[in-house]
Structures are given as structure tokens and as C-alpha cells.
Amino acid sequence: MSNLKRTALYEKHVESNGQIIDFAGWQLPVQYESLEAEHNVVRNVAGMFDVSHMGEVEVKGLDALNFIQNLVTNDVYTIENNQIVYTFMCYENGGVVDDLLVYKRNNNDFLLVINASNISKDYEWMLENSKDYNVEIINISDSISEIAIQGPKAEEILQKTTEFDLSNIKFFFFEQNIKIGNIDCLISRTGYTGEDGFEIYTNNNDIAIIWDALLDAGKEEGLLPAGLGARDTLRFEASLPLYGNELSNEITPLEAGLGFFVKLGKNDFIGKNALVKQKTEGLKRKIIGFEIEKGIARHGFEVYAGDNKIGFVTTGYISPTLGKSIGLALIDAKYATIGNEINIKVRKKFRTAKIISKRFYKKNYNK
Amino acid sequence: MKTIENLFYTEDHEWIKIEGNEALIGITDYAQHKLGSIVFIDLPEEDDEFERNESFAVAESTKAASDILMPLDGTILEINEDLDDEPGLVNEDAYKNWFVKISISDTSQIDDLISDKQYIEFCSKED
């Protein structure tokens, strides 16, 4: 256990009876009292997540804009200062290096927020692909802590802790140097739950003060700390992908149904040729949503059409909000029609399932 | 954690109520607490045969699936169908809500089961 890292909020998790597990090399709570209670509080009131394990990389210099435009699939030429895009870094073959958020401070200064499990890999990838560009790439992951507050009452609660008018931060925009108490924070209206909410970044020494300030401000409404378990069930209900499940070096953004964030019309970027080819030829595999009749379909379970193995489950749960056993699976495109029946191998039994829309839950973004 | 005096137990957190050559099997209060909210229970079918320590059922929480192991060699006589619709009953009362009723193949194996006092002691060492 001694090789595992702790965020600056570790003691807070222990104090709140967090059940600590190893996640991507970090000691973090999978839940506190109850995964279901934490999931529901985010949908109905607000929940608070320690996401300090996420990675942050700064890209600065004269060629920062062009470097990023080549690095990611989305179009960063068209975004404003203080705006954020969700995008992918792809390999030459179109497989995904990581999914990430790109925060634009200005044309020469960007902040990239990446998955905890991919920090070293992403940083190396960026360095390797920066040789032709006048940029500085700085991995500041170890010096940044982050809290996500998510839910319909997230803004109301966070507003109690700052004089800055949070209604000025629109969906997928951010502001810097916002004071919570006398602590400077970067705050974005972003999240991974399908609800309105904010992500708050500051230095490691001050994050615990922010945690306490939010818990205090949210006491009346019933704000709860929420763990990684609820984080996964919430994003899954909102059909948001998880790298390692719906995205990987072997699954392209087009196969995952996330072509909206891949601008094939823009100038060249790493992976463009492969993705254009994949789109032109038609996808051979697609991620679909399904509802299973009985039992729970877990990540990795095989999917069949009759006797043919046609794919595998990427994520599955009994949805706490919907009360149905549902999932996402990557299958042969020719079976990927809503209404089709498939069979899922759950341990030794084959269970019937039906393909349904991936829009399991109606997102409540404050757009 | 709750236990009931006249039941037998195993170190895999099952309880057993012996009725002659038959037994009712369930999971203990300690087990339901450790599992958290049980959202699905995968039960076997009547007439299925299992050996001691073989998994005969699976109790699933949102996050994980836990094998429930046979404490004795036996054949399934009856399954508790209430648990199909309401798996959470086990969280409410682990001793009232049994999983299966079996016919015991080898009654000498009952000697290997532990008492409630031995089970309590075992659990105190687990934590």
C-alpha cells in the first residue's frame, strides 16, 4: 500500500468514513456511507468529489494554438479565451490516447485536463509530438488539487462561498483568480455527471479549506461528499464515456459515437486520415445501449447474436436513478439497431437483452 | 452484528438451519452489511447439485458481485423467489430471508460447521 499516492484531501475522506481503495495508484474513497445515497444526492441536491488525482498539463508558447490543433480532434481555432472544449488525442490509427478538456486562457496559453490513469502516457505523447512547435509543455498535475461540486443546487451552494457572481460562468467556460475566502481558484462550469455543476482547481495546500467551506455552505441543503463509485454510475447514466471502457487505444471516437467532438473538416491532426477512412468506409463496430432482462451485465461480458459472438459490454449497472439494468456495449455494426435482441453471457448463463437508445438519462446542463 | 443462537455458520459468512436431512441457507448480518445495498441475487434452479465450497448463488451490489458458497454437499429443493423482486430484503433481515433450501448429501459434513460463538470470534478477528 505504501506506493499509493494520497491527495491533499485524504484525511477528510477518512474523517467522513470513506471506504478507501486503490484507484489508478491513488488512495481514494469508492464511497462513504452509501453509493446509492451519494448518487441520488447528486441528481437531487448536490454532491462533492475529490478529483485531485486528475492530471493538468500547461501548454504555453508562440505555437501553442497550432500545436493543440494538431494534437486533438476538436477544433480549437474557433474557441474564445476562457472557453473549454471536450476532445480526444488520437494515435495515427484513430485509436484514443486519452479524452480530455482543453481550457483556453489565450492563444499562447492552454490548460489540458487529463485522466489520472493516463498522466505519464499523455505527457510523453505531447512531448513526442511537440518537436516541430515552439511550445513549452509543463506537467503540473502534482501541484494542483481539484474538487467537483455537481447537482441542481451546486451553484446555490458554491455561491455562498464566494462574492464572484457564478451565473457569469457559462457552460464550458471558466474564470481564474476567483476568491473562495482568500484562496485563489480556477472555476469552470464542467463536470462528469450529467448535472449542472462546477470544477474548482487550486493548490494542494488550500484545497482542504475549500472542502470544509463547501460542506459547511451545503449543510442546510444536504450536500454530501461522494465517492468514485457514484462518479461512475452517474457518468454512465448520462452516457459519458470512460477511458478504458468506451474509449481505448483500440476504440476510436467514431466507434464510441462521439463524432461530434471530431472535426474532420478542420486542418490535419494526428489520426485524421484513419478517422476519415473509417467514416468513409462505414463503421464496423459501434457502441450501443442495451437493457438486460435479468441480472447485471458487467464490463467485459461477451455479447452474442444467436451463436455469434458480436462484441462485449463496456459498462453495465442497475441504474440507481432509472431502476433498470442497462449497459453500453461495443458490437458489430450490422447488429447495432435499436430494438434488436442480443444475448449477454453473464457468468455461465446467457441473458436476453434489447438494444435501446444510449440516451438513458436526460442531462440537466445549465446551458 | 447480529447472530442467532441455534443456527450453524461458516467462515464464508453463511448461516445454516438444519432440519433433519434438509437445510435452509442464507447469508449473515455481517455479510449483508459488508456487501452494502444488494441490488440483485442470482439464484440457482431447483434440482441443481452443488459440492461444498462451490458457488451456488451470487449476491450483487451496484459495484461488485459476491459468490455465495455451499456449506455442504447438496441438491437445491427450493429457492426463495421473494429475492427475485426484492433482493434488498436480505439487507433488512439476513436471517429471515433465506436463499435456498437443500437436501443434504452427507450429514457428517455438519460437524465441520461452526457455532454462533465461534463465528462471532472469527468475525472479530476479520476486522
Side-chain angles (χ1 to χ4, degrees):
Chain A
M1 277 287 251
S2 56
N3 286 336
L4 296 175
K5 297 193 270 196
R6 290 179 179 176
T7 70
L9 291 169
Y10 178 79
E11 292 304 327
K12 297 291 170 193
H13 303 315
V14 173
E15 262 167 49
S16 293
N17 293 320
Q19 289 179 27
I20 308 290
I21 59 156
D22 171 5
F23 181 81
W26 293 84
Q27 284 185 290
L28 285 164
V30 63
Q31 66 173 68
Y32 300 83
E33 291 301 325
S34 148
L35 187 158
E36 282 77 14
E38 291 153 39
H39 178 108
N40 292 332
V41 84
V42 170
R43 293 269 178 252
N44 300 320
V45 177
M48 193 164 77
F49 301 87
D50 174 9
V51 280
S52 304
H53 55 309
M54 302 276 291
E56 294 82 10
V57 177
E58 291 187 312
V59 176
K60 297 185 183 191
L62 291 174
D63 290 342
L65 180 64
N66 287 339
F67 165 72
I68 294 177
Q69 185 76 342
N70 180 61
L71 183 73
V72 306
T73 62
N74 211 338
D75 194 342
V76 292
Y77 278 178
T78 57
I79 62 171
E80 302 164 28
N81 290 354
N82 289 60
Q83 193 171 1
I84 303 163
V85 286
Y86 171 71
T87 185
F88 311 98
M89 295 187 292
C90 287
Y91 294 103
E92 290 294 353
N93 67 2
V96 179
V97 179
D98 205 1
D99 64 335
L100 65 154
L101 294 182
V102 174
Y103 288 55
K104 179 179 177 177
R105 288 169 169 147
N106 60 59
N107 282 345
N108 306 117
D109 189 353
F110 292 78
L111 177 69
L112 274 46
V113 181
I114 57 183
N115 282 305
S117 53
N118 293 327
I119 295 174
S120 311
K121 179 183 77 169
D122 289 2
Y123 179 60
E124 288 307 317
W125 178 254
M126 292 180 208
L127 286 177
E128 254 176 63
N129 287 290
S130 67
K131 305 266 177 345
D132 295 336
Y133 299 88
N134 186 344
V135 282
E136 220 190 321
I137 300 174
I138 316 143
N139 182 357
I140 57 171
S141 305
D142 285 342
S143 52
I144 305 283
S145 290
E146 186 192 346
I147 290 172
I149 178 171
Q150 303 279 304
K153 296 213 187 270
E155 183 170 342
E156 199 177 305
I157 294 168
L158 182 59
Q159 190 65 77
K160 294 185 201 177
T161 68
T162 179
E163 280 177 18
F164 183 91
D165 183 354
L166 295 167
S167 66
N168 288 327
I169 305 180
K170 303 294 173 211
F171 184 65
F172 267 68
F173 280 81
F174 69 96
E175 285 292 332
Q176 298 184 99
N177 304 314
I178 296 181
K179 287 216 185 290
I180 296 181
N182 53 8
I183 300 165
D184 277 326
C185 301
L186 183 162
I187 300 183
S188 57
R189 193 185 290 261
T190 47
Y192 192 47
T193 61
E195 301 301 326
D196 185 30
F198 297 87
E199 296 188 298
I200 304 157
Y201 301 77
T202 193
N203 62 76
N204 300 335
N205 289 334
D206 291 327
I207 196 76
I209 299 171
I210 309 282
W211 182 267
D212 285 341
L214 284 169
L215 272 183
D216 196 54
K219 202 171 278 178
E220 207 183 300
E221 289 86 351
L223 170 75
L224 291 179
L228 293 168
R231 187 164 163 79
D232 201 35
T233 51
L234 287 160
R235 70 92 193 159
F236 161 70
E237 280 180 351
S239 296
L240 299 172
L242 172 66
Y243 189 86
N245 284 22
E246 289 72 38
L247 297 166
S248 76
N249 62 344
E250 294 180 336
I251 306 174
T252 74
L254 300 181
E255 290 175 314
L258 298 164
F260 179 79
F261 305 100
V262 179
K263 305 297 189 211
L264 294 175
K266 72 167 189 173
N267 47 283
D268 199 26
F269 60 88
I270 307 171
K272 180 177 177 181
N273 289 342
L275 292 168
V276 166
K277 183 163 187 270
Q278 192 174 64
K279 182 154 189 198
T280 320
E281 290 177 355
L283 295 174
K284 296 198 172 60
R285 307 182 303 176
K286 282 186 185 168
I287 295 218
I288 52 98
F290 64 83
E291 182 174 352
I292 190 172
E293 208 174 56
K294 208 179 175 201
I296 304 175
R298 306 265 184 194
H299 171 75
F301 285 4
E302 294 172 345
V303 179
Y304 288 77
D307 286 329
N308 300 322
K309 179 163 153 213
I310 62 169
F312 56 91
V313 176
T314 56
T315 305
Y317 283 112
I318 291 185
S319 153
T321 300
L322 305 165
K324 302 196 293 187
S325 191
I326 53 178
L328 296 164
L330 180 65
I331 65 168
D332 279 350
K334 62 177 182 282
Y335 296 97
T337 310
I338 291 180
N340 274 0
E341 198 179 271
I342 51 178
N343 287 301
I344 301 179
K345 195 169 175 209
V346 180
R347 289 180 289 278
K348 295 187 185 133
K349 295 185 192 161
F350 285 88
R351 302 275 201 199
T352 333
K354 200 170 75 162
I355 298 182
I356 62 174
S357 162
K358 286 195 296 254
R359 289 217 169 97
F360 305 132
Y361 174 76
K362 182 169 168 288
K363 299 191 190 64
N364 294 311
Y365 293 142
N366 187 336
K367 286 202 186 176
Chain B
M1 60 160 243
K2 195 178 146 205
T3 58
I4 297 192
E5 220 177 278
N6 58 348
L7 299 179
F8 286 100
Y9 296 81
T10 67
E11 289 183 357
D12 293 311
H13 308 287
E14 284 99 26
W15 58 259
I16 304 98
K17 185 175 188 199
I18 307 287
E19 296 168 334
N21 268 6
E22 296 177 355
L24 281 179
I25 303 170
I27 66 171
T28 64
D29 184 57
Y30 180 95
Q32 70 76 17
H33 181 75
K34 267 259 146 41
L35 282 170
S37 239
I38 300 172
V39 296
F40 181 71
I41 298 177
D42 201 351
L43 291 170
E45 259 138 66
E46 286 173 20
D47 298 330
D48 282 347
E49 287 174 18
F50 296 97
E51 281 178 12
R52 181 166 56 176
N53 291 330
E54 220 188 313
S55 168
F56 72 93
V58 180
E60 303 207 50
S61 64
T62 296
K63 226 33 209 165
S66 293
D67 282 309
I68 313 298
L69 308 179
M70 279 288 263
L72 307 161
D73 295 347
T75 308
I76 308 294
L77 294 174
E78 236 184 284
I79 60 171
N80 184 352
E81 288 180 1
D82 287 344
L83 300 185
D84 259 353
D85 289 324
E86 292 188 74
L89 287 172
V90 175
N91 292 117
E92 279 174 36
D93 189 332
Y95 297 101
K96 183 168 152 222
N97 293 289
W98 51 277
F99 278 46
V100 294
K101 182 183 211 179
I102 66 165
S103 82
I104 306 169
S105 313
D106 179 358
T107 50
S108 73
Q109 287 179 338
I110 299 172
D111 294 339
D112 298 323
L113 302 175
I114 59 178
S115 70
D116 66 312
K117 287 183 182 51
Q118 290 170 308
Y119 177 67
I120 293 167
E121 209 193 309
F122 169 72
C123 289
S124 63
K125 290 194 194 121
E126 285 250 290
D127 288 325

